[in-house]
């Protein structure tokens, strides 16, 4: 190698001055950050694409069409399902399944019920004689993650919802606030006791099933009111949907299709 051969890395003086990037004709320097600023302005002006994302109305409408195909016909129920974003009420890891007809875990051994089961219970509740389009004053037993409460809020005059598990009560409160649902009275307590201060209720709907209906629910049911709850069928372990109407002649009970809900428990935790 020649003694005068260049060596690397070369020193800055040896490397020479940096090449000058030709600027505009007025002699100003080119500033690359101006391109970034322009891109940011373009992004603001660009319309947000709409598609089948979880926040898309199209996804909820697809679920509503499936419910209609399964036999749900009440327009108030279908409208409520089209308006409430179910994915906001489940854990983010399960959000992709939010609009499938499946129950999903919400923690503490509890689940969010299948949309078809919730829709059926709401339709049964709205089917009470003389009910019209509103459930009136409603008592919900088992707030869970808050999804059914959000639906009930759209088809009732007043809603009281009780959750026995404090952690779920707090979660439901956050979910309802995130979804912009207002006017729901959320309580942490023993749902088996109902809530006498706001009784009587035109509608009582439960999201947990036991061997028998608590006496407090029946006492707090208004004349002409309807109770819808899962309950163990006599002589077997299976649950069925039970409807109780308070008529002028007394309580009238009917049993409907089989369901599967978490067990009804007393006390608060």
């Amino acid at each position: 190698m020649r003694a005068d051969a260049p060596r690397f890395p070369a020193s800055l003086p040896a490397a020479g001055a940096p090449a000058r990037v030709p600027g505009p004709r007025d002699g100003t320097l080119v500033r690359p950050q101006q391109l970034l600023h322009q891109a940011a302005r373009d992004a603001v002006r660009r319309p947000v694409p709409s598609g089948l994302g979880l926040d898309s109305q199209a996804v909820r409408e697809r679920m509503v069409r499936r419910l209609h195909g399964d036999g749900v016909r009440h327009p108030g129920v279908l409208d409520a399902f089209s308006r409430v974003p179910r994915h906001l009420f489940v854990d983010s890891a399960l959000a992709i399944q939010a609009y499938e007809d499946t129950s999903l875990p919400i923690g503490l051994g509890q689940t969010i019920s299948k949309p078809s089961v919730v829709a059926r219970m709401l339709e049964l509740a709205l089917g009470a004689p003389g009910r019209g389009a509103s459930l009136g004053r409603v008592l919900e037993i088992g707030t869970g993650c808050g999804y059914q409460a959000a639906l009930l809020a759209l088809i009732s005059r007043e809603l009281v919802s009780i959750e026995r598990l404090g952690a779920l009560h707090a979660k439901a409160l956050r979910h309802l606030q995130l979804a912009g649902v207002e006017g729901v009275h959320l309580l942490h307590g023993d749902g088996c006791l109902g809530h006498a201060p706001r009784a009587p209720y035109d509608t009582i709907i439960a999201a947990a099933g036991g061997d028998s209906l608590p006496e407090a629910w029946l006492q707090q049911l208004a004349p002409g009111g309807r109770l819808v709850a899962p309950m163990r069928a006599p002589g077997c372990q299976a649950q069925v949907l039970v409807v109780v109407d308070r008529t002028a002649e007394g309580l009238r009970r009917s049993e409907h299709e089989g369901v599967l809900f978490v067990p009804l428990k007393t006390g608060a935790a």
Side-chain angles (χ1 to χ4, degrees), residues 67 154 246:
L67 292 174
L154 295 175
R246 182 175 291 282

Side-chain angles (χ1 to χ4, degrees), residues 137-139 157-158 160 162 187 193-204 216-223:
R137 179 179 292 169
V138 179
L139 173 64
R157 184 180 74 251
E158 180 182 353
V160 177
I162 306 175
L187 304 175
L193 303 178
H195 186 62
R198 291 185 179 271
Y201 299 97
D202 303 299
T203 305
I204 298 177
W217 298 359
L218 300 176
Q219 292 176 354
Q220 295 173 24
L221 188 62

